[in-house]
Amino acid sequence: MSFGIHVNEQPFDAEPRPGQCLRTYLREHGWFGVKKGCDAGDCGACTVHVDGEPVHSCLYPAVRAQGRSVTTVEGLATDGELHPVQQKFLDAQGFQCGFCTAGYLMTTAALDDEQLGDLPRAFKGNLCRCTGYRAIEDAVRGVKHVEAPCAGAAVGRNLPAPAGPQVVTGTARYTFDIDVPGLLHMKLLRSPHAHARITAVDTSAALRVPGVHLVLTHHDAPERHYSTARHEHPTEDPDDTLVLDDTVRFVGQRVAAVVADSEAAAEEGCRRVEVTYEVLPAVLDPEEAMRPGAPVVHAKDGAAARIARPLDNVVGESHGEIGSVEEGFAASDVVYEETFRTQRVQHASLETHGAVAWFERPQEGPERVVVRSSTQTPFLTRRALCALFDLPLEKVRVLAGRVGGGFGGKQEMIVEDIVVLAAMRLHRPVKLEYTRAEQFYGATTRHPFTVRVKAGARHDGTLTALQLRVVSNTGAYGNHGPAVMFHSVGESMAVYRAPHKKADAYAVYTHAVPAGAFRGYGLGQVVFAMESVMDELARLLAMDPLEFRERNIIGPGEAMISPGGEEEDLHIASYGLDQCLGIVRGAQAEPAGAAPEGWLVGEGSALSMIATGPPGGHIADARISLLPDGTLDLAVGTAEFGNGTTTVHRQIAAGELGSTVDRIAVRQSDTDVVKHDTGAFGSTGTVVAGKATLRASQALAETLLTFAAQHLGVRRDECHLAEDAVEHPSTRILLKELHAAAQSAGRELAADGHFGGTPRSVAFNAQWFRLAVDPGTGEIRILRSVHAADAGKVMNPMQCRGQVEGGIAQALGATLFENVRLNGRGEVTTAAFRQYRLPQYADIPRTEVHFMETVDTIGPLGAKSMSESPFNPVAPAFANALRDATGIRFTQLPLTRDRVWLALNEQARAQSARPGGQ
C-alpha cells in the first residue's frame, strides 16, 4: 500500500523519510507557507490543519498524516476568494515581517466562539516578535485600519503593505522559500570550550559518511581577518574574526563545516570530525578581563586590527569631560550614585540566520556567485565577501527575499562567508540555515552593560553634574562593540543639560557568545540607568519626577553636548519632547484603574532621545522608471523585514508623482537593482532610503512634465501629473503613451535619487506605566501603558504605531524576563524558547500610542525615524513605577517575579527588625 496524503486537496504519494516531521515534508513539496521557527512546537509558525484540527507540524510525524487531509495557509483561500480570516488580517494589517502570520491565520481559522472569547489562551502556542500583538488582536476582532488608495494623497494615510496579499496567502517568499536544483546542505561543528587552541583535526571519518561532499576546517579558510559587523565604514569595527580559526574563543564558535546531500548526512559528518584541543584559561566577566594577568582574548596588533588595548581585553574605549564634575558635585545640594546592570537579550527573530549560495551566468558579464541571505545589509555583505575572497564586485550578487525579522541581529555577516567558501570549492549550490539553538549560541546578543551613574542637583532642581562609567561586555569578538559603546553615552547624556559631564566607557572582550547590534544600539542600557537616577534625584529633592525632567531637558535649537564630543551633523531639526512629557502629565492626571485588593500601586515615566541615523554617513540610492504600461518601477536597496519601508517608499513616490501606490512596483534588497544602499539599520529606512526615493520621484516628476510639455507643444508650468496621465487644461496624454513617445525618441523616462545620511535629526520618546504589584507573590500587572512618540510627519500612522507597539513589547520582554544565561563554562543554557521566555499574547498590554505634532526640517517630507527609539524608555519607566509602588529601587534587569518577591521579603524583614517594626 503506497503512502497517500491530501495537501490542500491535492493528492501526494511520496513516502516521508524515517522520522521526518510534517513541516519538512510539506516544505519539500513546495508548501513554503509552512515556516520553520523553533523546531520545538513553541512558536506556532508551522501550524497547519490535519483533518481540520490545528497542529504544530514541526512536532507532527509526517507518517501520521497518511490518509489524512492537510491544509496549509496556501489552502485557506477557496475559488480565488480569501478566507474571512485572511481578509481580516489584511484589513487590520495584522502583521509586520509576516513570518509568524501563517501560523496565526491557521490557529485563528480553527477557533470556535468560546476560544475567540479567550485569545490569551487560544494564542499560547503562537509567538510574534514584531507586532506587539495589538494588530493581531484587531485582525481577529475584525477591526479595519487600512484606507483605500487615492491618487497623489498617499503620505500620512493608513495604506497597506504591498506584500500583504502574499503574506496572508503564504506566497511571500522568505530566504529559504525557493527551490534550488542540486542544493547541498551545510552543518557546523561548534566548539565545546570557551577558549582553546585546535592542535589537530581529522576529517577522514566525516568524509566517509555517505552523501558528504566537503569538510572545511581552518586549513581551508582565508587567513584574512575581518569583522562580522556591517557598517558603511568598515574601519569602525575591529578586524578580529576569521572564517574558521585555529583558536576558539567561546562555546559555540564554529570549528568545521560539513557539506552534504542532506542535513542528516551533514550532521552525521559533524559528529565524526575529530578535533583535538589544547584548553586555555577563559574569562567571562568584563571587569576581571580588564585586570592585570587576565587571559587575553585577542593577542593581536592593536593598531592593525583596530583594537584599543588588546592585552587588557579592551576593544574600544571613550573618555571625556566637559567642565569639572568634581566642581559640579561640590556645588550640588543632593547627589545620588548607583550601579545598574542589564543582561544579554536575544533578537529572537522567528526566521533564523541563513543563506543559500549558487552560481549564475548573467546575459552580460562573467559567471558570478549569488547569495540569497536573511540580511539587513545586502550591499555591505557583498562588499565584505569581495574583500574576503578577492573578488570584483561584478562577480558577487547578494539579495534578500522578505526577511523574517531583524532587530539589528542581521546587520552581521555570520553565515554568508562560510556558505560562499563552500560554494566556491564545490561549484554547487550550498545552504546553511541556523537552528533555533544556534541562534542563541552561534549568533549575537544584546550587549550586557554595567553602568555606574553619579548625578548631582541643586535644591531648585537644576542638574549640576552627570558622571557615567560604562562597561560593555562585547563577548569573544568585537563586531559592534566600540560603536555600541560610543553610542550608549551619546544621546543618553546629551538630552539633559548639565554644566559638568564626564563619561568613561569600555567595550571589553570576554570568552562569551559575541554581542552585536540590537534595537536601541546601547542607548537602552544606559537610559535604564540614567532615567532611574533622574527619578531618585527628584525624590531626594521632594520634587515631581516629571517636573524635574522638564527643568533639565534639552530645548529646541540647543546644542547636544556629551563628553564623547559634539557631533556636528546632528541637529534638533524638530522638537516634540515637551509634547511627549505633556502626554505623560495628562496620563498621570487621569483616574487610576482598579487594582486587586492589597496590591501595591505605582506609576513611573522615562524619556529618551535618539539620532535618526548613524554617524559618519549612511548611503542610499533609488531609481524610479516609467514602464511601457504606464505604471512605475521603484528600485531601492533597503531590505523589508517588517520595518515597513516598502510601504513608505511607495507612498512617497505616489505622492510626488500624483499616482496611487498600487501603480508602483518595488524592487528591493538586491545588489543588482541600484548602485548602493548601506542597509536597513539605525532607523534609516524612512529617513535615508526614503529621502533617496523622494529625490528620485521629484526628479522623475520634473522629467515627465518637461517631456510631456515638449511632446504636446504646451507650456511646462501648465502641466500636472494625474494618476495615469500628464494633464494640461487643453489636452492630456496617458503615461503609457508618453512612454511610447519617449521610446520613439530614444529616451528613457527614469530618474535617480541619492542621500548620504547627513545631516541628521533626533527623535524623542516618553513612556509611562501604572503598575500593581502583589506583595505576596511578586506578580506585576500593568494597569495602563502610555507612549508618546515624536516621529515628525508620520508617513503611515497605522504602520508607525505598529513599530512603536512592537518596540514596547520587545522592551517589556527584556524588562521582565528575557535573559540569555551562561553557565560557569561560558555555555548558553537558554538555547530554546522554552528556556528563554519571550513575551506572549497574554503578557503585553494594549499601549496607548500618541504621535506628536512636529515636522522635521531634515527628514523626507518632515518624517523622523521610529523603529528603534520606542524600546529605550520602557525599562526605566517600568522600574520607576515599580519603585513608586514598592519603595525599592531595582538596579538589575530583568525584573523577574522571583527577584521582585525576594526584594519585597527582604524589605519586610528589614522593617520588622527595626524598633517598633517601622
Side-chain angles (χ1 to χ4, degrees):
M1 179 180 176
S2 64
F3 184 83
I5 179 177
H6 278 74
V7 181
N8 300 327
E9 300 183 352
Q10 297 181 30
F12 285 89
D13 294 323
E15 289 267 359
R17 297 190 303 276
Q20 185 175 28
C21 70
L22 181 59
R23 187 202 69 222
T24 58
Y25 180 86
L26 293 169
R27 288 185 60 82
E28 285 177 3
H29 286 86
W31 303 107
F32 293 126
V34 186
K35 301 303 183 197
K36 170 186 174 179
C38 68
D39 282 321
D42 295 330
C43 75
C46 67
T47 303
V48 301
H49 294 173
V50 177
D51 288 343
E53 291 295 320
V55 301
H56 287 178
S57 60
C58 69
L59 298 180
Y60 194 95
V63 69
R64 284 186 56 193
Q66 184 171 8
R68 298 178 182 271
S69 176
V70 175
T71 305
T72 73
V73 67
E74 294 96 331
L76 273 185
T78 55
D79 300 326
E81 294 291 327
L82 292 180
H83 187 281
V85 169
Q86 291 172 312
Q87 188 62 55
K88 287 180 178 181
F89 269 72
L90 266 185
D91 291 342
Q93 293 289 280
F95 52 84
Q96 283 182 25
C97 84
F99 199 80
C100 70
T101 303
Y104 272 100
L105 288 165
M106 301 308 293
T107 298
T108 304
L111 298 178
D112 58 29
D113 289 342
E114 182 180 352
Q115 291 167 321
L116 285 169
D118 189 1
L119 290 182
R121 180 176 293 275
F123 288 146
K124 283 187 71 174
N126 293 81
L127 292 173
C128 175
R129 191 56 159 168
C130 297
T131 66
Y133 296 106
R134 191 272 316 160
I136 293 171
E137 180 184 4
D138 284 354
V140 175
R141 302 298 185 207
V143 179
K144 184 173 182 177
H145 291 301
V146 299
E147 301 177 53
C150 179
V155 170
R157 304 183 65 218
N158 295 331
L159 299 183
Q166 290 76 41
V167 169
V168 301
T169 56
T171 56
R173 290 294 175 250
Y174 295 80
T175 306
F176 298 113
D177 297 343
I178 56 172
D179 184 16
V180 181
L183 184 65
L184 301 176
H185 301 267
M186 175 184 287
K187 285 294 180 179
L188 298 175
L189 176 67
R190 296 182 178 274
S191 168
H193 305 293
H195 193 199
R197 184 175 294 109
I198 298 171
T199 58
V201 183
D202 186 350
T203 63
S204 57
L207 288 168
R208 288 196 294 270
V209 173
V212 168
H213 292 260
L214 176 69
V215 180
L216 295 170
T217 71
H218 64 273
H219 297 293
D220 308 295
E223 296 182 1
R224 178 172 293 159
H225 285 85
Y226 64 99
S227 172
T228 63
R230 303 270 57 83
H231 287 109
E232 180 59 38
H233 305 291
T235 53
E236 293 180 17
D237 310 303
D239 286 339
D240 58 7
T241 305
L242 291 170
V243 176
L244 290 166
D245 203 331
D246 64 355
T247 299
V248 292
R249 297 177 175 87
F250 69 97
V251 176
Q253 180 168 332
R254 59 195 189 194
V255 171
V258 178
V259 183
D261 290 329
S262 66
E263 289 190 359
E267 288 172 350
E268 180 61 25
C270 285
R271 284 189 285 268
R272 297 198 186 186
V273 175
E274 297 180 10
V275 184
T276 305
Y277 297 96
E278 176 193 349
V279 179
L280 302 171
V283 61
L284 298 175
D285 180 84
E287 294 285 1
E288 292 181 11
M290 287 191 288
R291 291 175 186 150
V296 175
V297 182
H298 290 277
K300 290 180 171 61
D301 181 336
R306 295 186 297 280
I307 300 172
R309 289 187 281 130
L311 299 183
D312 297 319
N313 292 318
V314 175
V315 61
E317 58 187 324
S318 174
H319 307 281
E321 185 170 12
I322 297 164
S324 168
V325 291
E326 184 177 351
E327 293 178 10
F329 289 125
S332 301
D333 295 311
V334 296
V335 175
Y336 184 83
E337 187 173 8
E338 186 57 88
T339 299
F340 297 83
R341 292 178 173 84
T342 65
Q343 78 284 28
R344 287 179 183 83
V345 177
Q346 231 291 319
H347 306 81
S349 49
L350 289 190
E351 182 188 45
T352 60
H353 281 79
V356 185
W358 67 89
F359 285 86
E360 72 173 9
R361 186 176 294 279
Q363 290 183 349
E364 298 180 5
E367 183 183 60
R368 60 181 178 175
V369 62
V370 179
V371 184
R372 182 180 173 94
S373 171
S374 185
T375 179
Q376 296 173 228
T377 58
F379 289 80
L380 299 188
T381 298
R382 176 181 66 164
R383 187 168 68 187
L385 289 170
C386 289
L388 185 59
F389 295 111
D390 291 318
L391 297 170
L393 288 177
E394 63 269 18
K395 295 292 290 290
V396 180
R397 176 190 178 195
V398 177
L399 68 152
R402 191 171 177 88
V403 177
F407 318 114
K410 293 171 181 174
Q411 191 193 338
E412 306 271 353
M413 184 177 73
I414 57 176
V415 291
E416 297 90 345
D417 53 347
I418 191 76
V419 171
V420 168
L421 177 61
M424 291 173 64
R425 287 286 299 271
L426 294 168
H427 211 267
R428 291 272 304 271
V430 177
K431 167 189 172 182
L432 171 61
E433 182 177 11
Y434 272 18
T435 65
R436 179 54 56 188
E438 285 180 299
Q439 284 294 114
F440 282 98
Y441 53 68
T444 59
T445 72
R446 190 183 188 210
H447 286 79
F449 267 54
T450 300
V451 184
R452 184 77 179 174
V453 185
K454 185 177 182 181
R458 291 196 291 265
H459 284 311
D460 65 358
T462 302
L463 278 171
T464 54
L466 284 175
Q467 184 173 0
L468 285 180
R469 183 181 184 272
V470 172
V471 176
S472 164
N473 186 346
T474 196
Y477 290 90
N479 36 1
H480 293 266
V484 167
M485 178 269 299
F486 281 117
H487 190 234
S488 72
V489 297
E491 295 98 276
S492 60
M493 295 191 82
V495 74
Y496 285 107
R497 300 189 208 97
H500 308 284
K501 295 180 180 179
K502 184 178 182 181
D504 295 286
Y506 307 85
V508 184
Y509 284 126
T510 61
H511 291 105
V513 57
F518 192 103
R519 199 175 205 161
Y521 214 66
L523 276 183
Q525 293 94 315
V526 175
V527 168
F528 167 60
M530 186 74 77
E531 289 297 294
S532 297
V533 167
M534 291 299 120
D535 255 41
E536 291 299 330
L537 273 180
R539 289 179 182 277
L540 289 174
L541 294 165
M543 182 179 290
D544 172 50
L546 195 57
E547 181 185 350
F548 179 74
R549 287 180 171 84
E550 289 170 334
R551 289 194 181 196
N552 292 287
I553 55 173
I554 193 171
E558 293 185 25
M560 288 168 282
I561 301 172
S562 68
E566 187 174 348
E567 298 179 62
E568 294 183 357
D569 75 330
L570 190 60
H571 310 279
I572 301 178
S574 59
Y575 186 82
L577 184 53
D578 53 348
Q579 296 180 47
C580 290
L581 296 184
I583 292 294
V584 171
R585 188 172 295 284
Q588 288 178 336
E590 293 176 9
E597 185 176 352
W599 287 41
L600 308 171
V601 177
E603 59 185 49
S605 60
L607 61 85
S608 65
M609 176 176 77
I610 190 171
T612 58
H618 191 105
I619 295 169
D621 288 293
R623 182 173 178 82
I624 189 162
S625 310
L626 182 65
L627 299 178
D629 63 355
T631 62
L632 297 156
D633 174 81
L634 173 60
V636 292
T638 189
E640 175 63 60
F641 51 94
N643 47 351
T645 55
T646 315
T647 315
V648 168
H649 292 163
R650 286 212 312 178
Q651 288 180 265
I652 291 171
E656 295 302 311
L657 292 161
S659 184
T660 55
V661 292
D662 55 354
R663 292 179 59 82
I664 301 172
V666 181
R667 292 180 296 126
Q668 63 194 126
S669 54
D670 184 340
T671 56
D672 270 6
V673 302
V674 293
K675 288 184 287 188
H676 185 72
D677 189 287
T678 299
F681 64 87
S683 302
T684 56
T686 294
V687 297
V688 178
K691 197 151 186 172
T693 294
L694 175 65
R695 289 176 172 176
S697 302
Q698 291 171 335
L700 180 62
E702 181 60 31
T703 297
L704 293 176
L705 291 170
T706 300
F707 182 76
Q710 294 171 348
H711 180 72
L712 296 172
V714 298
R715 289 174 52 184
R716 153 71 183 80
D717 60 355
E718 293 179 345
C719 295
H720 70 274
L721 285 163
E723 179 179 355
D724 61 350
V726 175
E727 296 185 342
H728 180 270
S730 63
T731 186
R732 72 193 303 263
I733 182 170
L734 293 174
L735 291 179
K736 62 182 180 181
E737 296 171 348
L738 195 66
H739 182 278
Q743 194 171 38
S744 297
R747 288 197 51 187
E748 180 186 15
L749 297 179
D752 296 303
H754 173 87
F755 184 53
T758 183
R760 300 173 296 145
S761 186
V762 290
F764 299 98
N765 295 76
Q767 174 69 40
W768 177 83
F769 286 111
R770 182 175 286 131
L771 308 177
V773 184
D774 183 355
T777 66
E779 180 185 349
I780 305 172
R781 292 185 189 174
I782 300 174
L783 302 179
R784 192 178 177 199
S785 172
V786 176
H787 191 97
D790 174 21
K793 171 65 176 178
V794 179
M795 312 295 267
N796 187 313
M798 167 186 65
Q799 184 173 272
C800 193
R801 185 177 66 243
Q803 289 291 308
V804 173
E805 290 167 341
I808 294 167
Q810 195 171 46
L812 278 172
T815 301
L816 290 171
F817 31 70
E818 291 188 50
N819 190 4
V820 178
R821 294 188 178 91
L822 274 61
N823 61 19
R825 296 178 48 252
E827 179 184 13
V828 174
T829 60
T830 51
F833 284 155
R834 295 193 184 189
Q835 288 84 43
Y836 183 82
R837 174 91 153 78
L838 280 179
Q840 294 180 291
Y841 180 96
D843 297 315
I844 304 301
R846 286 182 75 98
T847 293
E848 303 162 34
V849 177
H850 302 265
F851 293 117
M852 305 305 98
E853 296 181 3
T854 62
V855 177
D856 201 70
T857 59
I858 293 177
L861 304 176
K864 295 199 282 193
S865 61
M866 198 45 59
S867 58
E868 290 188 273
S869 56
F871 187 101
N872 296 327
V874 171
F878 196 98
N880 288 339
L882 191 57
R883 164 71 164 89
D884 190 46
T886 64
I888 301 170
R889 169 56 62 191
F890 289 87
T891 61
Q892 184 173 353
L893 296 179
L895 302 172
T896 55
R897 182 170 171 175
D898 57 341
R899 183 169 284 165
V900 172
W901 181 83
L902 287 168
L904 286 167
N905 274 264
E906 184 178 340
Q907 180 191 62
R909 286 194 299 270
Q911 288 175 346
S912 64
R914 295 173 190 162
Q918 297 297 318

